[in-house]
Amino acid sequence: MKLDLNGRFFEIASKIADLIELNLLFILTSLPIFTIGASTCATMTVLIRDVRGDKRPIAKSYFKAFGENFGKTTVMWIIDLVFLSAILFDYMLAGGFGGIVRIALRSAAAAGLIVVGSLVIYEMSWTGLIENSIGEIMRNSLILTFSRAPYSLLMTALWISPPLMMYFAPEFLKFTVPVYIFIWPVLMALADAYLMERVLRPYLGEPE
């Protein structure tokens, strides 16, 4: 009996291996915090191209997108990081208050996290696939954040779920570290890639 290397089983196994490879690349290149923008851009670029039928070698495609877009994505990520720091400060500040003030401050922090998180996803996805200036990318990302609000909410929830789980449920994470390291973040990014491809399709054209 001859094994069919083009069969469904090997296709799924190959896909899982690609996702694990991409997940490890994302984690390793995100370790210096200032590179998270470039690593997010590279991850989303690889995944959206894959969703559109443009399959390329994972590592080569990842590092190409990482290097080509490092400058733009780093500038935007630093700007976003300033806003994220302000949101974190607002959340921490709320702990010193009680009642309605605490609720209002933490609600504002949650809303800010959703908006900035959505901006990051749009910015990094747009940068890897469409040639624009930083100002145009940030403006278009802000427009899409509100004009495609349901997509924005869902994509942000998926993208921030791994770090939120680490923060709010560390006891659960102790038993799932291998899953997290090897595939969880990139699975969330893959789900985002399917949604993002639909949002950006008017600008990218129909997939192959």
Side-chain angles (χ1 to χ4, degrees), residues 25-42:
L25 288 173
F26 170 74
I27 291 175
L28 290 173
T29 55
S30 294
L31 291 179
I33 293 178
F34 72 91
T35 63
I36 289 177
S39 58
T40 301
C41 174

Side-chain angles (χ1 to χ4, degrees), residues 7-81:
R8 186 64 176 166
F9 172 79
F10 287 100
E11 181 183 342
I12 294 173
S14 176
K15 184 69 173 179
I16 292 173
D18 285 346
L19 290 174
I20 291 173
E21 178 183 3
L22 183 58
N23 196 76
L24 290 173
L25 288 173
F26 170 74
I27 291 175
L28 290 173
T29 55
S30 294
L31 291 179
I33 293 178
F34 72 91
T35 63
I36 289 177
S39 58
T40 301
C41 174
T43 300
M44 294 303 293
T45 299
V46 170
L47 289 173
I48 294 172
R49 282 176 175 166
D50 186 73
V51 168
R52 293 175 61 80
D54 183 3
K55 301 184 185 298
R56 308 182 187 190
I58 296 297
K60 182 178 179 180
S61 181
Y62 183 92
F63 284 114
K64 187 173 187 293
F66 186 95
E68 289 179 345
N69 300 295
F70 182 82
K72 286 183 180 179
T73 54
T74 301
V75 170
M76 289 186 289
W77 170 241
I78 290 173
I79 294 171
D80 294 330
L81 197 56

Side-chain angles (χ1 to χ4, degrees), residues 86-126:
I87 291 167
L88 177 61
F89 176 77
D90 182 52
Y91 181 86
M92 295 174 63
L93 182 66
F97 297 91
I100 192 67
V101 176
R102 174 182 292 184
I103 294 173
L105 287 173
R106 291 202 163 159
S107 296
L113 179 62
I114 292 170
V115 171
V116 177
S118 179
L119 278 172
V120 171
I121 300 169
Y122 282 119
E123 287 166 358
M124 304 314 161
S125 300
W126 188 287

Side-chain angles (χ1 to χ4, degrees), residues 121-178:
I121 300 169
Y122 282 119
E123 287 166 358
M124 304 314 161
S125 300
W126 188 287
T127 302
L129 298 165
I130 303 169
E131 183 62 36
N132 272 149
S133 67
I134 291 176
E136 290 172 326
I137 294 168
M138 297 186 75
R139 182 195 65 193
N140 293 334
S141 298
L142 185 61
I143 292 171
L144 287 172
T145 292
F146 292 101
S147 65
R148 306 304 296 270
Y151 283 93
S152 302
L153 285 168
L154 183 54
M155 288 190 293
T156 304
L158 288 167
W159 189 256
I160 67 176
S161 64
L164 285 181
M165 180 65 76
M166 291 180 70
Y167 179 77
F168 288 109
E171 69 286 348
F172 168 77
L173 203 61
K174 285 189 299 187
F175 303 102
T176 58
V177 169

